Amino acid sequence: MTDGSVTVRVPAKVNVQLAVGGLRPDGFHGLANVFLAVGLHDEVTATPADSLRLTVGGPDAAAVPLDGTNLAARAARALAAHHGLAAPGVHLHLAKDIPVAGGMAGGSADAAGALVACDALWGTRTPRAELLALCAELGSDVPFSLLGEAALGRGRGELLTPLPVGGTFHWVFAVADGGLSTPEVYRECDRLRAAAGTGATVDAVPEPEPSPALLAALRDGDSAALAAALSSAGAGGGSSNDLQAAALSLRPSLADTLKAGTAAGALAGLVSGSGPTCAFLTGGAAEAEAVAAALAESGTCRTARPTTSPAPGATLLP
């Protein structure tokens, strides 16, 4: 066991494609989920302690639960149980910079960071495959937070295949006030499908598949081609995100954010995951700065953050 502290940096994500299958009998939806890690990060620091303790700092820290529902705390307990440790003696401090409840997997990132940090602190040397299995037990997005870069997620999103990315993509993330409940967004997706007469169950909705054009754009590092793929018409209402229509139904003001970003020069815009953060792809760093400034002045979002992708997964800091 390490006597000092261990810090792990973990990235946010954007779903450049989120193809959602029909509602299954188990209550979940099959996914073809193309994850891309982006350069907004949380840092998870693990320090020896007599018992499990959790503290949070940074923007929106007050919105992060400090009880047993916190995914980072659950990750520490899961790792301790996996190795037969009596109790997880650790103080976890989460330095938040990923928007909270914003559809960018901040909680999942913290869980992956806590696993890696506690594994290093306790000297348990858990094999990568076992860490990924623990991630999958904690939540559908947690395995990708460990892996980073780019990946196709199948199943509920937890069955990952790494994807090649041939260049750097420039993004702006427009952060909304308040969050959206992911289960509520999925329920609204089902409701909209049923209301449209297409049906919402696995018997009515085609099996989700990744877009070949989108995967090729990532592989080639082609921003223009990726923008075209992001804007492709689908169940998401002219978006590669099938949950976008549901997010807009629950939060109509997001349509104004999307319009403001594209009017400012973004190549494409979409709701990130279940929202309410909106992601805008731009042609370069200067364009990203200009779009971020325009969005900040538009009054349609709380803040706008330029960054790049891909980004590494959970990484131990020196």
Side-chain angles (χ1 to χ4, degrees):
M1 178 180 289
T2 301
D3 294 331
S5 62
V6 174
T7 298
V8 175
R9 178 175 292 163
V10 279
K13 59 83 179 168
V14 61
N15 303 93
V16 288
Q17 183 182 6
L18 183 51
V20 179
L23 179 65
R24 304 188 318 210
D26 64 2
F28 290 101
H29 300 74
L31 302 176
N33 196 348
V34 181
F35 292 104
L36 193 57
V38 302
L40 301 178
H41 298 92
D42 285 357
E43 291 186 357
V44 181
T45 299
T47 305
D50 293 334
S51 60
L52 177 59
R53 188 163 69 91
L54 189 66
T55 56
V56 184
D60 303 325
V64 178
L66 297 178
D67 58 14
T69 65
N70 185 285
L71 272 179
R74 289 175 53 196
R77 289 197 298 270
L79 184 67
H82 182 72
H83 289 287
L85 303 180
V90 64
H91 169 209
L92 294 175
H93 180 74
L94 313 180
K96 297 292 296 179
D97 195 43
I98 301 173
V100 176
M104 299 186 72
S108 296
D110 294 342
L115 282 175
V116 174
C118 289
D119 190 51
L121 184 73
W122 297 337
T124 40
R125 300 179 181 274
T126 312
R128 185 79 161 180
E130 293 178 22
L131 280 178
L132 283 168
L134 289 170
C135 285
E137 292 174 8
L138 291 163
S140 300
D141 287 345
V142 183
F144 179 70
S145 297
L146 182 70
L147 184 67
E149 301 292 343
L152 170 64
R154 293 284 202 172
R156 291 180 288 109
E158 81 284 11
L159 305 174
L160 298 177
T161 302
L163 295 173
V165 180
T168 299
F169 294 97
H170 295 266
W171 298 90
V172 176
F173 291 92
V175 182
D177 279 315
L180 276 174
S181 161
T182 297
E184 187 177 359
V185 174
Y186 273 97
R187 286 193 293 270
E188 182 68 2
C189 176
D190 294 336
R191 188 192 71 80
L192 291 175
R193 285 173 168 176
T198 58
T201 65
V202 288
D203 297 329
V205 179
E207 185 72 16
E209 294 293 339
S211 160
L214 187 143
L215 298 184
L218 287 177
R219 182 195 64 226
D220 297 340
D222 188 333
S223 295
L226 181 59
L230 294 177
S231 303
S232 62
S239 167
S240 60
N241 178 5
D242 284 358
L243 293 182
Q244 179 162 304
L248 290 171
S249 176
L250 294 171
R251 187 78 66 85
S253 61
L254 294 180
D256 295 330
T257 310
L258 292 171
K259 290 176 184 175
T262 52
L267 299 176
L270 75 165
V271 175
S272 178
S274 59
T277 299
C278 292
F280 297 92
L281 180 66
T282 70
E287 292 88 340
E289 293 288 350
V291 170
L295 280 164
E297 293 173 1
S298 72
T300 64
C301 60
R302 177 160 55 90
T303 186
R305 306 280 305 279
T307 190
T308 60
S309 67
T315 303
L316 276 166
L317 298 183

